[in-house]
Amino acid sequence: MPTPSENMLFGMGNPLLDISAVVDKDFLDKFGLKPNDQILAEDQHKALFEEIVKRNKVEYHAGGSTQNSVKIAQWMLQKPHKVATFFGCIGKDRFGEILKKKAEEAHVDAHYYEQNEEPTGTCAACITGDNRSLVANLAAANCYKKEKHLDLDSNWELVKKAKVYYIAGFFLTVSSESILKVARHASDKNKIFCMNLSAPFISQFFKEPLMKVMPYVDILFGNETEAATFAKELGFETDDIAEIAKKTQNLPKENTKRQRVVVFTQGKDDTVATVGDRVTMFPVLDIDQNDIVDTNGAGDAFVGGFLSALVQEHALEECIRAGHYAANVIIRRVGCTFPEKPDYH
């Protein structure tokens, strides 16, 4: 098995500072939130950010879906440091400094595009029981510019060093041209490009950029809700998750040397994945309901664990096993945080 090397895994996305707090149903209702959802902040949510920080026991964690995943992959691998590279845009402010420090602590090689027009993005994680409603105020994250960052020679060299690429669907709302440039590079060089459906609103409102990237996607992740929305948007006319996985696998693909792999997680139910021409179910690890502290980050952690095995060229089954392990660790803790070392063999 190849040993991981520096900058072997490349991620690009929205770096956000997560602000998590336990709230009640009244809070959700006040801001028109569903208990389990991910949305982009609108004008009516401005007050939410002011109100949530006044609540008791607020926790701040470095977040953003892709950044979480590459950080977990790095944690699972441990050594060498900086196997994972991360690109995204932040503000020149206190929250931006926190994100830089947290990336460094996680041994991720983060290269942020820093600008001072917009403040660093935040994400309010409103937790009720084992549900979490995420409201992202992208701010600076939305200011990522391909020509100001990705196209710079020193940055593009880091992209070229990678063997595996991962970008969450959330970044489609920011810079689809950056995603396409990376995806085409991966496809041309027969490297592995992975993407995530990320949230129902991506398939609903960003279907066009999503489908422009889809021919370059070697591995597609998503959860059961996202899969169902995607199927509906594409007119698959089925709500059978295995069938959705199969139809998604068979969508047009540029690099025919690699058959597309589709992986759909379903919370505590089996993970569904296309293995060759078959669809296989993989049971998740058992966990006592009382041990679940916060499901926020479970999907990101699954991808992170999966990627850590993928960069070592492990078989799909092994990648899924690593993903299940990482998710099982993360849901026992607040935010997408982890103990010092994994206990994974």
Side-chain angles (χ1 to χ4, degrees):
M1 291 291 170
T3 47
S5 54
E6 276 192 17
N7 308 111
M8 196 184 225
L9 171 64
F10 175 83
M12 178 166 62
N14 301 331
L16 303 173
L17 191 73
D18 283 347
I19 305 171
S20 31
V22 173
V23 300
D24 49 24
K25 192 179 174 301
D26 292 346
F27 184 89
L28 296 181
D29 293 345
K30 180 176 176 180
F31 296 105
L33 304 177
K34 295 179 191 153
N36 219 6
D37 203 9
Q38 305 102 312
I39 61 164
L40 292 176
E42 291 171 33
D43 284 344
Q44 77 256 33
H45 301 115
K46 286 271 193 298
L48 181 153
F49 287 87
E50 291 157 18
E51 210 171 298
I52 199 164
V53 294
K54 291 185 189 140
R55 296 184 87 81
N56 54 359
K57 293 231 287 226
V58 179
E59 299 214 9
Y60 292 90
H61 297 288
S65 184
T66 305
Q67 186 167 241
N68 283 342
S69 293
V70 298
K71 201 179 275 186
I72 297 268
Q74 180 66 55
W75 170 73
M76 288 282 286
L77 291 164
Q78 291 285 307
K79 290 275 186 314
H81 291 164
K82 299 188 174 181
V83 170
T85 315
F86 179 76
F87 287 5
C89 183
I90 59 174
K92 294 181 177 172
D93 50 27
R94 188 171 71 89
F95 282 177
E97 289 305 315
I98 293 175
L99 286 184
K100 285 200 279 195
K101 187 167 152 284
K102 296 277 187 192
E104 207 177 306
E105 284 168 6
H107 307 300
V108 167
D109 195 12
H111 293 257
Y112 296 114
Y113 169 49
E114 296 180 50
Q115 50 72 61
N116 40 23
E117 261 122 76
E118 286 281 341
T120 297
T122 49
C123 178
C126 312
I127 298 157
T128 51
D130 54 13
N131 287 321
R132 48 99 187 104
S133 197
L134 306 178
V135 185
N137 181 24
L138 296 184
N142 208 18
C143 300
Y144 189 84
K145 298 278 183 289
K146 173 177 166 286
E147 59 287 353
K148 294 255 180 78
H149 195 263
L150 185 68
D151 292 346
L152 303 183
D153 290 346
S154 58
N155 289 333
W156 189 247
E157 282 306 314
L158 288 168
V159 175
K160 292 198 310 202
K161 269 179 91 172
K163 299 265 196 306
V164 174
Y165 300 84
Y166 174 65
I167 301 177
F170 289 125
F171 201 57
L172 286 164
T173 75
V174 174
S175 181
S176 55
E177 57 283 3
S178 295
I179 300 177
L180 276 168
K181 182 175 181 179
V182 172
R184 287 192 180 116
H185 166 78
S187 182
D188 292 346
K189 300 283 190 249
N190 193 29
K191 298 197 276 192
I192 304 174
F193 182 80
C194 314
M195 200 157 186
N196 203 314
L197 292 174
S198 291
F201 81 83
I202 298 292
S203 297
Q204 289 166 317
F205 307 115
F206 295 88
K207 179 175 149 191
E208 196 187 340
L210 173 64
M211 295 319 289
K212 266 199 188 128
V213 182
M214 198 56 74
Y216 303 100
V217 177
D218 296 303
I219 303 178
L220 182 71
F221 298 102
N223 67 21
E224 73 277 39
T225 326
E226 293 149 12
T229 306
F230 181 69
K232 197 168 147 210
E233 289 299 322
L234 286 187
F236 283 174
E237 296 187 342
T238 178
D239 45 21
D240 178 289
I241 193 148
E243 212 173 313
I244 294 171
K246 194 77 211 127
K247 289 193 169 192
T248 305
Q249 181 185 38
N250 291 333
L251 290 168
K253 189 163 189 307
E254 276 293 320
N255 177 9
T256 50
K257 294 191 200 93
R258 294 182 185 279
Q259 187 179 28
R260 181 180 292 122
V261 173
V262 179
V263 184
F264 291 145
T265 56
Q266 310 188 80
K268 60 183 187 307
D269 295 326
D270 292 2
T271 294
V272 179
T274 58
V275 182
D277 295 323
R278 297 204 325 277
V279 177
T280 310
M281 303 294 195
F282 296 89
V284 302
L285 294 166
D286 279 337
I287 184 168
D288 186 325
Q289 209 53 32
N290 301 322
D291 291 334
I292 300 177
V293 174
D294 174 9
T295 55
N296 184 19
D300 296 339
F302 172 81
V303 172
F306 187 105
L307 294 171
S308 72
L310 188 65
V311 296
Q312 299 176 80
E313 295 179 25
H314 289 311
L316 178 68
E317 294 76 357
E318 184 49 42
C319 295
I320 290 173
R321 198 170 80 85
H324 284 163
Y325 168 79
N328 186 273
V329 170
I330 294 314
I331 57 180
R332 299 166 189 268
R333 307 166 67 90
V334 175
C336 199
T337 61
F338 35 81
E340 194 191 341
K341 286 197 165 130
D343 177 21
Y344 180 71
H345 310 288

